[in-house]
Amino acid sequence: MEMGEDKLWRVLEFYSGIGGMRYSLMKAGVNAEVVEAFDINDTANDVYEQNFGHRPHQGNIQTLSAADLDSYDAEVWLLSPPCQPYTRQGLQKGSGDARASSFLKILQLIPQTSRPPLMLFVENVVGFETSDTHEKMISMLREISFNTQEFILSPLQFGVPYSRPRYFCLAKRKPLSFRKAQVNSYLGAPGPVLWSDENVVTSQGVELNGYWDKLIESCRPIEDFLDLKNCVSDAEESKEGKRPFNNPLKQYYVPSALIERWGSAMDIVFPESRRCCCFTKSYFRYVKGTGSLLATVPGMVKDRISSLQDLSLRYFTPREVANLHSFPEDFKFPPHVSLRQRYALLGNSLSVGVVAQLLCYLFADETL
Ligand code: SAH
């Protein structure tokens, strides 16, 4: 055995939320342990603690010092900072938004640490890549000798019928380098670079006719991600003509008044569909642009439907959103977390299916 072969990578998880990064690390199967997680949100930390048996460090990441960071002796930092500064709803103020400052602060601390990390992984929304925070991040990483690779990827590219394109930056401190060195690049002139198992796909490739259609065709159907336990009782009850009374899914049916008011703006999918829209943290509170609704009538009847009211539309349950995020089956919310909070936490989280693949790639060929 080579020296150090059995040593674990020590990982810090910043903005840990409900632990999407940690699940991704587990799914990636890399020899790593999260030595500390950081989040300011009490409820998110309750969920994290319930699932991982460890309560994240509760507080503002902005207040961490270089000495604090050194004390963890970690080689890898995973970061999913707040995305509001870069979204349209968030007014795109970029680094001028107070919510961006803790992220920039933490990057600024890297050169002041006595043991800077060897690898970084950053997740954010599409739009981040054109922000001034991005510009600052890339120039800081360059200055302190990191190779970076950047990707915009969606679960649709990994067989999951879910559109959630996200920006990712992978960084390795020299002399560490990436396996696919040809994509060592910065987003910009050639446009976003996308990545798949075998191939590097450039944005031009993605613009080609039929790329997304073919991808969607190859995705698994939505029904594979539904909460079968509840759906079985749904079907049984409907046979008895009782639906939606005493139905565990009752609270998820969309009220008629909402369908009347917002029907035309709703993204409606069927169990046999192979695509649904990104669930945001406002899903269940607002219908427009926050995620898809599920038509629960059997597929073959679909063509004969004359009104949206006949579709028995319902929201995806939090468990189903978790399934589309490739969260493991044993992921659970503590009972005191309300339905709205569950959607908000899941909406802020990430696709474990996508991030696990990227982490595999980040750690590839590296041993301590
Ligand atoms: N990847 C996470 C979610 C990231 S969303 C998951 O899988 O759930 C961003 C998270 O950052 C939120 O949970 C929010 O509470 C936290 N956050 C935002 N600003 C923070 C700060 N200054 N200090 C600590 N946590 C912060």
Side-chain angles (χ1 to χ4, degrees), residues 9-138:
W9 291 97
R10 292 172 64 83
V11 177
L12 292 179
E13 186 183 10
F14 296 94
Y15 311 97
S16 49
I18 55 175
M21 286 284 193
R22 182 153 175 173
Y23 278 129
S24 305
L25 203 59
M26 288 159 67
K27 193 178 171 93
V30 289
N31 202 21
E33 62 170 338
V34 174
V35 292
E36 191 51 286
F38 305 87
D39 203 290
I40 204 166
N41 181 318
D42 246 333
T43 314
N45 290 342
D46 289 347
V47 181
Y48 192 103
E49 185 175 9
Q50 153 110 16
N51 289 288
F52 300 107
H54 171 82
R55 190 166 188 88
H57 175 101
Q58 179 132 4
N60 192 337
I61 286 171
Q62 181 113 20
T63 63
L64 293 170
S65 67
D68 292 333
L69 295 168
D70 266 333
S71 71
Y72 297 107
D73 201 10
E75 297 93 9
V76 185
W77 292 9
L78 309 177
L79 309 107
S80 45
C83 57
Q84 290 88 345
Y86 321 104
T87 58
R88 241 180 304 153
Q89 288 95 331
L91 302 175
Q92 294 179 308
K93 281 195 285 183
S95 67
D97 190 307
R99 288 168 294 194
S101 56
S102 64
F103 176 58
L104 289 171
K105 164 89 192 298
I106 211 85
L107 294 180
Q108 275 156 3
L109 287 181
I110 295 178
Q112 295 166 35
T113 56
S114 53
R115 281 179 299 275
L118 297 174
M119 298 197 262
L120 296 182
F121 181 90
V122 179
E123 181 255 4
N124 218 281
V125 287
V126 175
F128 177 80
E129 74 284 5
T130 54
S131 69
D132 61 340
T133 305
H134 169 265
E135 209 174 298
K136 289 180 182 160
M137 172 186 88
I138 292 293

Side-chain angles (χ1 to χ4, degrees), residues 256-275:
S256 306
L258 270 186
I259 300 179
E260 247 161 62
R261 172 79 181 79
W262 292 106
S264 58
M266 289 174 173
D267 182 71
I268 295 167
V269 298
F270 291 82
E272 60 273 26
S273 302
R274 287 167 195 273
R275 178 209 63 92

Side-chain angles (χ1 to χ4, degrees), residues 90-335:
L91 302 175
Q92 294 179 308
K93 281 195 285 183
S95 67
D97 190 307
R99 288 168 294 194
S101 56
S102 64
F103 176 58
L104 289 171
K105 164 89 192 298
I106 211 85
L107 294 180
Q108 275 156 3
L109 287 181
I110 295 178
Q112 295 166 35
T113 56
S114 53
R115 281 179 299 275
L118 297 174
M119 298 197 262
L120 296 182
F121 181 90
V122 179
E123 181 255 4
N124 218 281
V125 287
V126 175
F128 177 80
E129 74 284 5
T130 54
S131 69
D132 61 340
T133 305
H134 169 265
E135 209 174 298
K136 289 180 182 160
M137 172 186 88
I138 292 293
S139 66
M140 276 192 243
L141 293 177
R142 250 182 187 173
E143 263 168 45
I144 49 176
S145 297
F146 275 89
N147 283 314
T148 59
Q149 290 194 352
E150 304 174 272
F151 304 97
I152 289 174
L153 289 169
S154 168
L156 285 175
Q157 291 162 293
F158 297 86
V160 178
Y162 182 38
S163 172
R164 189 182 177 89
R166 284 293 179 271
Y167 165 87
F168 301 98
C169 175
L170 285 61
K172 286 184 172 186
R173 190 148 60 86
K174 294 170 189 166
L176 300 193
S177 62
F178 288 97
R179 187 180 273 181
K180 297 179 187 177
Q182 72 270 30
V183 288
N184 266 350
S185 68
Y186 303 103
L187 286 180
V193 180
L194 290 108
W195 174 83
S196 72
D197 236 7
E198 314 278 280
N199 306 308
V200 175
V201 185
T202 64
S203 56
Q204 283 94 340
V206 167
E207 298 307 321
L208 287 179
N209 273 347
Y211 173 81
W212 288 106
D213 289 348
K214 253 191 247 143
L215 219 54
I216 289 170
E217 251 169 57
S218 67
C219 284
R220 289 157 61 196
I222 295 276
E223 64 194 333
D224 287 6
F225 296 80
L226 299 179
D227 194 346
L228 290 174
K229 192 167 47 70
N230 280 331
C231 290
V232 169
S233 46
D234 181 28
E236 276 166 7
E237 299 226 359
S238 93
K239 251 187 271 155
E240 291 161 28
K242 283 199 294 186
R243 194 178 56 82
F245 305 105
N246 304 323
N247 180 331
L249 291 170
K250 182 179 168 192
Q251 60 185 321
Y252 299 105
Y253 280 89
V254 183
S256 306
L258 270 186
I259 300 179
E260 247 161 62
R261 172 79 181 79
W262 292 106
S264 58
M266 289 174 173
D267 182 71
I268 295 167
V269 298
F270 291 82
E272 60 273 26
S273 302
R274 287 167 195 273
R275 178 209 63 92
C276 66
C277 289
C278 182
F279 297 103
T280 74
K281 68 177 184 2
S282 306
Y283 189 60
F284 201 69
R285 282 202 298 141
Y286 303 106
V287 291
K288 197 177 165 191
T290 60
S292 300
L293 298 166
L294 182 72
T296 59
V297 289
M300 62 274 202
V301 188
K302 166 167 92 181
D303 300 336
R304 286 185 268 130
I305 296 283
S306 55
S307 135
L308 292 182
Q309 303 282 1
D310 299 338
L311 290 174
S312 297
L313 291 180
R314 71 164 175 84
Y315 293 93
F316 282 77
T317 67
R319 179 62 250 177
E320 291 166 344
V321 176
N323 291 345
L324 286 158
H325 284 189
S326 309
F327 268 49
E329 256 169 55
D330 60 3
F331 166 76
K332 292 255 166 3
F333 283 102

